[in-house]
């Protein structure tokens, strides 16, 4: 049993921290989020080429550094701490995480391009009525000649406005919520029949409603075997949930730190409000939730390579816990700040917004609590 | 970073498990199964067996004092296995509380006199800290010790003294300088509970149990050589003890067992023809509790891993105390809720002579009494509010 970071992981953390400290202050972020593009491609290029984090957890044979889930955790925590909007989760953890599972030339090339910072992808899995059920897919792909014809609508596809390729789940067989019959396609976003309505999200990202109308796809657009995509998508979404928990770790740590600092400065009744025990205890509870969330993130991250049931139970337990911590710590941070905590000007309110959206992302706490409860009976008995 | 136990750790776990299976006293097990109140000898039987097994009764002691020299992970495994088997816990007052103070501050004579019998379960300790007027504000204590030649003459009243009715010895905080600042006039005395002038009076708690006591001290003569460390430096010992009171403070393994028991009760009860543990409302509460415990377990493991690397303990002992006790209490609350109407029969009279068969399912017996009793956990050992004060100051710098 070992909870320490390796030398490489420490270096990765330090160099990323240093880079973000110099480039990602609250003002630069605010300007980028308000710009037309909504992000900074030059930051992405630097993350790929100068800091070298995009390939940290990806296989060496595809140009990565051969790290694993702990490396992803290290990176995501720092991205959370700096409230980075660029699509590391969407493109690297989910996109490359899926693509590396397939050995087609297109998939391998895409991973290499992602590591180099040259390709942005987004996974279109959710639909207007599917809520968080990854098997609930109405989008269809029907055989047409050698290839496929894609029709359907995907909802709130985060990072899609920045992407040139989309990974799309579509039903090639089976009924609406059946696990069998879901296939995965890699498509060009500018293919004929793909249309997108782009918009900003409340936490500073960009997303799209994507519609597919008679999109013609070549045979090679299908990744892996027809109808067998779901186990891969679920595994990668679990990796992404663990990564989100790690991001939350950075966000929560900042919420605690900034709140503690603020209470030491802010004076009322002739003394710093940090002196008031009722606020102290509330901040201690924020701290405890944050520490416990870190522990759950370690646990889930280190169990990603176990069996599907153990992996999913661990991840859902963690996401349920961390999600609720995001809401409670965020609310407490704003309450303790008072009115200033509600302003656009204060960095803290942006951390609050991201924390709030993390609770919902890739399944709410209720969703994961239910999933954990359903899986716990299948878990192997403790040794 | 990894979660795996080493092959040595697994071998150790198997050794501990086998030893417990083969050596745990059957008569104590029988009393526990029957829900009977345990007596002095029942508490000490397992302690003595472990004491003769190369210091297994004192996992946290250094080897030079007879400890087994285990790694932090081995200590964790040992606690896990004992909880899993539901053994009677070794009482902390001697092994984990007074002994480290004696090791750190005691004279060679004091070490030789008190440590070996403490290890072997031949010396039962109680803790003379709280007073009617000194609870969370412990330094406000007023029990007086006045020097008279080679003795102190001690007068005062202690309270909430756990299992003092069985104790051979007690460690007491007493005021030796009534003028000094309150923390600076306290001394740490070891007191023979059979000394003339010591009176132990039971306090019956709301579950009907006799677990805590008042201890009255009237002109009790305590030899000066039973003072640990310097006169008026007792607060140093008390603070040291607080920092070392962390062993097993989270109670993770025992809470796991409590949750298993909760599942047993919930699988026997039915709601609308469905087992209670399949009822979405109740299942949700159980899942939330399990997840809380998981978080606590990994926080404890992170602390152990830091300790194993030789890093100083972080602030986690207060965190472990707060969350550990909240979880213990929640488990008893849910067990009582799960038991339904059979939570209400009060069964303690069976232990005191009644011989009629207890009513209701076995798994439901005593659940309400346990719930009532466990309210103590967030109060004792520094209330959870005091623990929050500690984190606020020591960690957040408030």
């Amino acid at each position: 049993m070992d909870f320490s970071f390796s030398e490489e992981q420490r270096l990765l953390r330090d160099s990323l921290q240093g880079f973000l400290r110099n480039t990602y202050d609250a003002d630069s972020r605010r300007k980028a989020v308000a710009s037309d593009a909504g992000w900074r491609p030059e930051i992405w290029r630097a993350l790929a080429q100068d800091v070298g984090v995009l390939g940290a957890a990806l296989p060496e044979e595809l140009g990565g550094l051969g790290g694993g889930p702990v490396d992803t955790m290290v990176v995501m925590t720092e991205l959370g701490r700096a409230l980075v909007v660029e699509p590391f989760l969407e493109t690297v953890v989910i996109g490359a995480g899926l693509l590396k599972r397939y050995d087609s030339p297109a998939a391998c090339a895409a991973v290499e391009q992602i590591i180099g910072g040259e390709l942005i992808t987004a996974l279109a899995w959710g639909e207007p009525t599917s809520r968080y059920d990854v098997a609930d897919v109405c989008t269809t792909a029907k055989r047409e000649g050698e290839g496929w014809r894609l029709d359907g609508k995907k909802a709130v596809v985060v990072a899609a406005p920045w992407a040139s390729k989309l990974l799309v789940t579509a039903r090639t067989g089976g009924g609406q919520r059946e696990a069998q019959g879901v296939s995965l396609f890699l498509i060009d976003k500018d293919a004929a029949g793909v249309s997108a309505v782009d918009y900003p999200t409340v936490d500073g990202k960009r997303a799209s409603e994507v519609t597919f109308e008679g999109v013609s796809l070549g045979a090679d657009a299908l990744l892996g075997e027809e109808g067998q995509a779901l186990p891969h998508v679920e595994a990668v979404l679990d990796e992404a949930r663990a990564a989100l928990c790690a991001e939350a770790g950075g966000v929560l740590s900042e919420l605690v730190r900034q709140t503690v600092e603020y209470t030491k400065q802010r004076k009322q009744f002739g003394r710093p409000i940090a002196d008031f025990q009722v606020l102290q205890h509330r901040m201690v509870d924020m701290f405890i939730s944050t520490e416990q969330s870190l522990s759950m993130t370690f646990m889930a991250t280190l169990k990603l390579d176990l069996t599907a049931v153990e992996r999913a139970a661990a991840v859902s337990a963690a996401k349920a816990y961390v999600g609720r911590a995001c809401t409670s710590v965020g609310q407490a941070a704003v309450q303790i700040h008072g009115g200033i905590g509600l302003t656009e000007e204060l960095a803290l309110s942006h951390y609050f917004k991201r924390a709030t959206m993390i609770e919902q992302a890739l399944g709410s706490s209720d969703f994961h609590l239910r999933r954990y409860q359903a899986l716990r009976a299948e878990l192997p008995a403790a040794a | 970073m990894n979660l795996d136990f080493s092959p040595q750790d697994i071998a150790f776990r198997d050794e501990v498990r086998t030893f417990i299976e083969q050596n745990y006293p059957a008569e104590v097990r029988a009393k526990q199964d029957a829900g009977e109140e345990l007596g002095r000898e029942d508490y000490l039987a397992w302690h003595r067996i472990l004491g003769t097994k190369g210091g297994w009764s004192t996992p946290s002691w250094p080897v030079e004092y007879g400890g087994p020299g285990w790694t932090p992970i081995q200590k964790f495994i040992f606690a896990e296995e004992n909880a899993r088997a539901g053994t009677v816990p070794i009482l902390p007052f001697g092994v984990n509380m007074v002994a480290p103070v004696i090791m750190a501050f005691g004279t060679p004579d004091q070490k030789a006199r008190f440590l070996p019998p403490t290890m072997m379960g031949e010396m039962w300790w109680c803790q003379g800290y709280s007073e009617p007027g000194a609870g969370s504000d412990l330094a406000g204590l007023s029990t007086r010790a006045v020097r008279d030649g080679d003795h102190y003459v001690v007068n005062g009243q202690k309270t909430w003294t756990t299992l003092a009715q069985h104790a051979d010895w007690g460690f007491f905080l007493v005021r030796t300088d009534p003028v000094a600042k309150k923390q600076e006039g306290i001394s740490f005395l070891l007191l023979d509970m059979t000394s003339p002038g010591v009176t132990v009076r039971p306090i019956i708690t709301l579950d009907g149990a006799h677990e805590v006591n008042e201890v009255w001290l009237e002109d009790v003569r305590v030899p000066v050589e039973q003072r640990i460390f310097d006169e008026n430096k007792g607060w140093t010992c008390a603070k040291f003890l607080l920092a070392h009171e962390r062993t097993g403070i989270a109670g993770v393994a025992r809470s796991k067992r409590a949750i298993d028991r909760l599942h047993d009760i919930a699988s026997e009860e039915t709601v609308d023809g469905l087992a209670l543990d399949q009822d979405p409302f109740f299942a949700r509460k159980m899942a939330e509790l399990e997840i809380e415990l998981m978080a606590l377990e990994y926080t404890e493991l992170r602390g152990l891993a830091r300790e194993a690397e030789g890093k100083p303990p972080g602030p986690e002992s207060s965190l472990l105390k707060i969350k550990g006790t909240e979880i213990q209490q929640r488990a008893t609350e849910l067990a009582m809720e799960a038991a339904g109407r059979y939570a209400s029969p009060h069964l303690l009279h069976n232990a005191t002579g009644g011989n009629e068969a207890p009513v209701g399912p076995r798994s439901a017996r005593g659940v309400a009494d346990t719930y009532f009793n466990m309210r103590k956990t967030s109060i004792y050992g520094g209330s959870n509010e005091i623990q929050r004060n500690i984190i606020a100051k020591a960690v957040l710098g408030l």
Side-chain angles (χ1 to χ4, degrees), chain B residues 10-170:
Chain B
I10 290 170
F12 175 76
R13 184 197 66 198
D14 293 342
E15 184 191 356
V16 172
R17 192 172 292 182
T18 308
F19 184 80
I20 294 173
E21 276 166 16
Q22 292 175 351
N23 295 282
Y24 193 69
E27 59 281 9
V28 178
R29 170 73 68 207
K31 280 193 183 180
Q32 287 176 276
D33 288 348
E36 288 178 36
E37 205 166 356
L38 301 179
R40 179 184 152 102
E41 294 309 307
D42 301 318
Y43 278 106
L44 291 176
W46 184 228
H47 185 151
R48 287 175 181 151
I49 291 167
L50 292 174
T52 57
K53 173 79 180 155
W56 281 26
S57 60
T58 53
S60 57
W61 288 19
V63 176
E64 55 173 314
Y65 296 112
W70 290 337
T71 64
I73 300 290
Q74 284 179 311
K75 290 181 217 169
F76 174 81
I77 291 170
F78 182 74
E80 268 290 290
E81 289 302 315
N82 272 278
R84 187 176 173 273
T87 61
V88 174
I90 289 192
L91 292 167
F93 308 106
V95 166
N96 291 329
M97 296 169 82
V98 74
V101 172
I102 294 172
M103 289 173 203
F105 301 103
T107 63
D109 283 348
Q110 288 170 334
K111 292 176 187 176
R113 181 176 174 194
F114 294 109
L115 294 179
T118 299
M119 175 182 199
M120 298 310 292
E122 289 156 6
M123 197 179 263
W124 183 310
W125 290 91
C126 66
Q127 181 186 32
Y129 270 36
S130 294
E131 297 182 3
S136 286
D137 183 12
L138 182 59
L141 58 90
S142 58
T143 292
R144 280 283 281 132
V146 178
R147 187 73 175 259
D148 177 24
D150 292 339
H151 285 76
Y152 289 102
V153 179
V154 184
N155 279 283
Q157 186 199 343
K158 295 290 177 177
T159 191
W160 313 126
T161 317
T162 300
L163 299 175
Q165 70 267 35
H166 299 315
D168 305 304
W169 282 79

Side-chain angles (χ1 to χ4, degrees), chain A residues 1 281 292 295 324 372, chain B residues 4 284 288 290 299 302 389:
Chain A
M1 183 154 316
H281 284 199
Q292 298 273 81
S295 301
R324 287 208 307 216
Y372 170 78
Chain B
D4 305 326
R284 176 186 182 118
E288 284 172 338
E290 271 177 22
T299 298
R302 283 168 61 207
N389 289 350

Side-chain angles (χ1 to χ4, degrees), chain A residues 97-120:
Chain A
L98 267 172
L99 289 161
K100 76 173 184 196
R101 292 167 167 261
Y102 302 100
D103 53 11
S104 74
C108 293
V111 173
E112 286 173 30
Q113 286 176 303
I114 287 173
I115 293 172
E118 300 141 25
L119 172 65
I120 303 293

